[in-house]
Amino acid sequence: NGKQTRLFGFKVHEKIKNLNSTYKSHWDGPFIGIRANFDLTCALFVYGEYDFAFALRYHAHGFWNLRNQGKGMHFHQHSNRIKGFGQSGLVGIGYEVIENLTLKAEYQLLRFEGRGGSSNAREGHKKFHQPFHKATLDSSEGRLCLDYAF
């Protein structure tokens, strides 16, 4: 379920025994963007898009099962919507195989950032509340798509 890669500065590759932790995050907010297409031939085209997210909000919750002598720790984090933002960019090339059937190759980069807010946790009977400073999501993805238009 998880692997430890460093122990006291030394590289190790061993599984973490009994690891069964969870973490889920959600990002939401409005986007504004621009898109462009350029036909190279009657069947081949390139395209791209850029989106800017503003008033972006981050929510996360999880459970660390190896904390508190194996009893675990629940936590919840959220950011201030006013301080969040993000960017997304995509480039691609497409080929119309036959009418309404297109083969595409795409690459997308994304970065979201949530700032301000709070982090709450519960470990046994203890409850914790502290300021939340920043969360970031960095993602890159390549896709091969087959689109059919009805």
Side-chain angles (χ1 to χ4, degrees), residues 8 22 71 77-78 103 105 114 118 143:
F8 303 114
T22 60
K71 296 177 186 172
Q77 298 173 325
H78 67 275
L103 179 64
S118 65
R143 293 186 285 263

Side-chain angles (χ1 to χ4, degrees), residues 88-104:
S88 172
L90 179 136
V91 293
I93 186 165
Y95 180 75
E96 188 173 12
V97 180
I98 59 172
E99 189 177 351
N100 298 337
L101 183 66
T102 306
L103 179 64
K104 293 180 180 177

Side-chain angles (χ1 to χ4, degrees), residues 8-148:
F8 303 114
F10 297 101
K11 289 184 178 181
V12 295
H13 294 284
E14 58 185 53
K15 288 190 173 189
I16 301 172
K17 293 181 182 178
N18 302 318
L19 180 64
N20 192 19
S21 295
T22 60
Y23 170 81
K24 290 187 179 182
S25 66
H26 305 276
W27 297 82
D28 64 86
F31 284 82
I32 187 166
I34 185 168
R35 283 145 183 68
N37 284 349
F38 181 74
D39 292 333
L40 300 173
T41 67
C42 61
L44 188 65
F45 59 96
V46 293
Y47 56 97
E49 62 183 63
Y50 171 80
D51 291 303
F52 180 76
F54 54 96
L56 192 61
R57 184 173 45 191
Y58 160 78
H59 292 277
H61 63 277
F63 176 72
W64 297 327
N65 76 303
L66 297 179
R67 295 284 305 243
N68 192 23
Q69 299 162 344
K71 296 177 186 172
M73 176 182 190
H74 293 272
F75 69 93
H76 177 262
Q77 298 173 325
H78 67 275
S79 69
N80 187 334
R81 180 181 286 281
I82 267 301
K83 297 179 179 179
F85 62 93
Q87 301 178 69
S88 172
L90 179 136
V91 293
I93 186 165
Y95 180 75
E96 188 173 12
V97 180
I98 59 172
E99 189 177 351
N100 298 337
L101 183 66
T102 306
L103 179 64
K104 293 180 180 177
E106 300 177 339
Y107 183 73
Q108 182 177 28
L109 288 172
L110 177 127
R111 180 173 176 85
F112 287 166
E113 192 168 299
R115 294 178 178 238
S118 65
S119 182
N120 303 302
R122 181 174 39 86
E123 189 171 30
H125 296 294
K126 297 177 189 173
K127 292 184 179 180
F128 305 93
H129 179 79
Q130 61 190 26
F132 175 78
H133 300 290
K134 181 171 94 170
T136 57
L137 170 65
D138 292 309
S139 172
S140 63
E141 180 178 22
R143 293 186 285 263
L144 188 58
C145 314
L146 188 59
D147 290 351
Y148 182 77

